[in-house]
Amino acid sequence: MMPSDETPLLELQDLTKTFGTGETATQVLKGLNLTLQKGGMIALLGASGSGKSTLLNILGTLLRPTSGGFTMLGQNLFTANDATLTDFRNRHIGFVFQLHNLLPDFTALENVIFPSAVRDGVERPAARRRGAELLDIVGLSDRINFRATKLSGGQKQRVAVARALMNNPDLILADEPTGNLDSKSAQQVMDLITRVNKSENTAFLISTHDEDIAAQCTSRIEIRDGRIS
Ligand SMILES: Nc1ncnc2c1ncn2[C@@H]1O[C@H](COP(=O)(O)OP(=O)(O)OP(=O)(O)O)[C@@H](O)[C@H]1O
Ligand SMILES: [Mg+2]
């Protein structure tokens, strides 16, 4: 059954995450409740070590929660097996990290289309067209065939946003996407995210320590003592 439009983007119920076992066990998330609707642009705040990256990795299905309810687009991801999670991730989720994580020897275009090659198991001509369009959207149509190593930090991060958009995800998880950029490049990336959020209705969850970044989002949540406060 297809999820209806009223289906939330994601729902977390009493979610916990503990790293390690026994005496060294650390509970980072302590019963976190959160519902996000589709299409938002949400700032994720919290002190260093509060669990922002942990939460983003769980939402990205890269890390398993310890207990609680975890549903995205109506699908139960807590009980899903690894193959289902991989498939879900490839179809619905994009990532932008603080360090762009581009493949250095690949060109801008090759980096952007990489997620679709992973999803489809083959590089389709349509993917190259979409990749070129996305690089145009992020203002880098003149850098399509530049290797990643030949791009500036801000340009790399805009390629990373284009790459995150490649599979047309419902949610992009951005972990301090502007953390390594000067203020001008940071603003360009935020302008881009704002534009994409409006035009494609892609939801963004953006972890940040920067109040100026949070102020540009449509809402904010904060992790404190392992919960959303
Ligand atoms: N793989 C792991 N094993 C054990 N502990 C971990 C692991 N990953 C994270 N932690 C711990 O979980 C806590 C939360 O870390 P996390 O990286 O989620 O914080 P954060 O809010 O993203 O911090 P920052 O703002 O500095 O990026 C920290 O105390 C960290 O040491
Ligand atoms: Mg972090």
Side-chain angles (χ1 to χ4, degrees), residues 47-54 56 98 175-176 207 209:
S48 179
S50 60
K52 299 181 297 298
S53 296
T54 302
L56 291 173
Q98 180 171 6
D175 199 354
E176 300 191 46
S207 87
H209 291 280

Side-chain angles (χ1 to χ4, degrees), residues 26-225:
T26 318
Q27 190 176 37
V28 176
L29 304 181
K30 303 178 180 171
L32 195 144
N33 293 296
L34 178 65
T35 301
L36 295 181
Q37 304 301 332
K38 293 172 192 162
M41 184 168 160
I42 301 112
L44 173 60
L45 298 147
S48 179
S50 60
K52 299 181 297 298
S53 296
T54 302
L55 177 61
L56 291 173
N57 285 329
I58 289 173
L59 296 179
T61 74
L62 299 169
L63 183 69
R64 293 264 189 185
T66 305
S67 68
F70 174 24
T71 309
M72 268 182 90
L73 300 168
Q75 188 162 347
N76 183 338
L77 297 183
F78 189 83
T79 53
N81 64 27
D82 287 352
T84 304
L85 289 185
T86 301
D87 185 62
F88 189 92
R89 185 188 315 128
N90 288 335
R91 286 173 196 287
H92 298 294
I93 302 170
F95 297 91
V96 179
F97 301 97
Q98 180 171 6
L99 292 168
H100 52 81
N101 285 9
L102 299 186
L103 297 164
D105 293 331
F106 279 38
T107 66
L109 180 63
E110 287 163 348
N111 269 286
V112 171
I113 66 182
F114 191 70
S116 72
V118 170
R119 182 194 58 189
D120 301 338
V122 59
E123 190 190 303
R124 299 179 195 279
R128 293 188 81 82
R129 278 199 300 277
R130 174 157 173 83
E133 275 169 27
L134 288 168
L135 281 167
D136 191 32
I137 289 173
V138 303
L140 291 173
S141 45
D142 57 343
R143 293 289 187 277
I144 279 187
N145 294 315
F146 277 51
R147 286 187 197 287
T149 47
K150 307 265 172 179
L151 300 171
S152 74
Q155 289 170 341
K156 282 184 205 157
Q157 202 56 313
R158 283 187 280 150
V159 173
V161 174
R163 177 184 58 183
L165 285 166
M166 183 65 203
N167 289 353
N168 202 13
D170 296 283
L171 170 64
I172 291 183
L173 300 164
D175 199 354
E176 300 191 46
T178 59
N180 268 332
L181 301 179
D182 62 55
S183 57
K184 182 160 173 256
S185 303
Q187 192 52 51
Q188 283 178 346
V189 168
M190 283 308 291
D191 289 346
L192 169 63
I193 287 176
T194 304
R195 210 152 24 93
V196 168
N197 170 250
K198 288 193 179 126
S199 66
E200 313 257 320
N201 207 33
T202 312
F204 283 83
L205 181 60
I206 306 167
S207 87
T208 184
H209 291 280
D210 186 334
E211 274 298 326
D212 289 344
I213 301 283
Q216 297 180 48
C217 294
T218 54
S219 59
R220 59 163 68 200
I221 56 177
E222 184 167 350
I223 305 185
R224 210 176 285 169
D225 299 327

